[in-house]
């Protein structure tokens, strides 16, 4: 400990240890916030009616909404699989 280079090495190691502890605490706070948010969302979802809950689960990703009366879509320009109009023509 009498050597100045060991003093600075010890001080640097202690400072880095404190920084690591602060970073670990920040990660722990973030994880706890996520868990609390998920629990709040789950409790809010449990209060919804069954029909509304089914609707929210079906539309979760924002890209799919089941409407059977619209029929199949052909976004890629594929072949018609047989619609009502073509069945009447034959």
């Amino acid at each position: 400990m009498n050597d100045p280079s060991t003093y600075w090495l010890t001080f640097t190691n202690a400072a880095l240890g404190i920084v690591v502890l602060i970073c670990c605490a920040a990660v722990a706070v973030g994880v706890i916030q996520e868990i609390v948010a998920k629990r709040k969302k789950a409790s809010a979802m449990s209060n919804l009616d069954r029909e509304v809950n089914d609707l929210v689960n079906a539309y979760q990703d924002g890209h799919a909404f089941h409407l059977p009366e619209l029929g199949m879509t052909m976004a890629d320009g594929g072949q018609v699989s047989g619609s009502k109009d073509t069945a009447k023509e034959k």
Side-chain angles (χ1 to χ4, degrees):
M1 276 307 234
N2 292 336
D3 187 19
S5 63
T6 28
Y7 170 73
W8 286 109
L9 181 63
T10 304
F11 178 74
T12 304
N13 283 340
L16 288 175
I18 291 171
V19 169
V20 168
L21 290 176
I22 290 171
C23 290
C24 289
V27 169
V29 167
V31 168
I32 290 171
Q33 286 178 345
E34 286 294 320
I35 290 172
V36 168
K38 283 186 179 184
R39 286 191 179 179
K40 282 183 181 179
K41 182 179 177 184
S43 68
M45 290 294 286
S46 68
N47 294 335
L48 292 175
D49 291 332
R50 192 169 93 194
E51 294 84 10
V52 175
N53 195 8
D54 289 341
L55 177 65
V56 169
N57 287 334
Y59 199 64
Q60 194 70 22
D61 63 341
H63 296 336
F65 196 71
H66 183 63
L67 294 172
E69 62 271 3
L70 290 180
M72 292 182 3
T73 61
M74 295 190 326
D76 62 348
Q79 298 294 325
V80 177
S81 64
S83 66
K84 293 179 183 177
D85 296 335
T86 58
K88 289 180 183 177
E89 291 174 6
K90 292 182 180 181

